[in-house]
Amino acid sequence: AQTVTQSQPEMSVQEAETVTLSCTYDTSENNYYLFWYKQPPSRQMILVIRQEAYKQQNATENRFSVNFQKAAKSFSLKISDSQLGDTAMYFCAFSSPSYNTDKLIFGTGTRLQVFP
Amino acid sequence: NAGVTQTPKFQVLKTGQSMTLQCAQDMNHNSMYWYRQDPGMGLRLIYYSASEGTTDKGEVPNGYNVSRLNKREFSLRLESAAPSQTSVYFCASSENVAGDAVTEAFFGQGTRLTVV
């Protein structure tokens, strides 16, 4: 069974600094997708970034980028120039086309606090 | 665009009472999902419906039933609520195209359920 592990329950960063959130996963699948979701205090789940395992290039979305290390089964999220609005829970998630659905396996989350 | 709409947003139940959480999506998505979110546990899949007319158990289905009423609607029923079912419940939907891809899941705003 696939598992997703986020070993940092809480992190903090000062505004404008850079922070990296860690995620590791375990799978025997060869084709899979990894995601980072943001959950602000409003409770809404917002997709931040996604990575297809077959792509060697790391995904980037504006200030958000990932470091995808397939052999190490590691998928970290880097937030550059942190903003107060980045304060949220961040969830790493896994899915695979072999599921025949888009169901997600989530990690336990990292609570990020951005300080002024 | 409404996206995924859940009702109600908040609910308090007494142990043993029953209730149905409603979910509707207006994106013509094939697949729909119910997750629960508990502190320190991330989101866990309760049930999902890969396509209209089908439903399957997820990771934590005990104590719940679901109905895929039509392509738009997917309800979650608690027949006899227990304090262990106190949680935040999320409905999600995705296009779920056949093939080797995983499509983005869109989430509702969540329902905070308290069972006393």
Side-chain angles (χ1 to χ4, degrees):
Chain A
Q2 284 75 24
T3 59
V4 177
T5 302
Q6 295 180 250
S7 58
Q8 305 155 315
E10 296 184 352
M11 293 195 70
S12 61
V13 64
Q14 197 155 23
E15 202 174 5
E17 297 296 308
T18 296
V19 64
T20 298
L21 308 183
S22 300
C23 173
T24 58
Y25 60 95
D26 188 24
T27 184
S28 58
E29 301 274 354
N30 193 44
N31 184 16
Y32 54 87
Y33 289 64
L34 296 162
F35 305 84
W36 279 98
Y37 277 88
K38 171 185 178 181
Q39 186 182 46
S42 67
R43 211 165 63 197
Q44 182 66 48
M45 293 290 287
I46 302 165
L47 179 62
V48 174
I49 200 164
R50 61 185 272 162
Q51 175 81 43
E52 292 89 339
Y54 63 85
K55 290 187 177 178
Q56 293 186 339
Q57 187 171 5
N58 288 325
T60 299
E61 290 287 343
N62 301 314
R63 299 182 295 106
F64 299 87
S65 61
V66 298
N67 183 5
F68 175 47
Q69 301 289 328
K70 191 172 183 179
K73 295 180 180 173
S74 171
F75 183 61
S76 60
L77 175 69
K78 185 172 82 170
I79 306 174
S80 303
D81 185 26
S82 297
Q83 300 176 359
L84 296 178
D86 296 333
T87 293
M89 281 289 288
Y90 287 82
F91 292 99
C92 180
F94 172 102
S95 190
S96 171
S98 69
Y99 295 160
N100 294 318
T101 74
D102 300 319
K103 66 179 183 179
L104 294 161
I105 299 172
F106 284 91
T108 53
T110 297
R111 185 177 301 279
L112 177 67
Q113 180 73 49
V114 180
F115 291 98
Chain B
N1 283 340
V4 179
T5 303
Q6 288 181 235
T7 55
K9 288 186 172 47
F10 301 93
Q11 183 72 47
V12 178
L13 286 180
K14 293 182 179 179
T15 297
Q17 285 186 319
S18 62
M19 79 161 294
T20 299
L21 280 64
Q22 307 286 355
C23 176
Q25 52 92 7
D26 62 2
M27 295 172 282
N28 200 36
H29 283 169
N30 292 310
S31 295
M32 298 184 74
Y33 315 83
W34 278 104
Y35 293 89
R36 60 177 289 173
Q37 181 181 7
D38 301 294
M41 304 284 288
L43 280 78
R44 293 178 293 168
L45 185 64
I46 305 171
Y47 270 95
Y48 65 98
S49 171
S51 60
E52 186 179 358
T54 69
T55 60
D56 284 287
K57 295 179 180 179
E59 182 184 353
V60 288
N62 290 345
Y64 305 95
N65 286 300
V66 291
S67 295
R68 183 75 183 266
L69 303 170
N70 47 56
K71 192 171 186 179
R72 289 187 65 248
E73 298 173 288
F74 188 41
S75 62
L76 178 72
R77 182 160 179 85
L78 288 70
E79 289 292 350
S80 180
S84 61
Q85 294 178 304
T86 293
S87 188
V88 178
Y89 291 85
F90 285 94
C91 179
S93 72
S94 70
E95 190 176 1
N96 187 22
V97 298
D100 294 332
V102 171
T103 58
E104 181 181 351
F106 293 82
F107 286 80
Q109 290 273 46
T111 297
R112 181 175 293 279
L113 175 66
T114 302
V115 184
V116 298

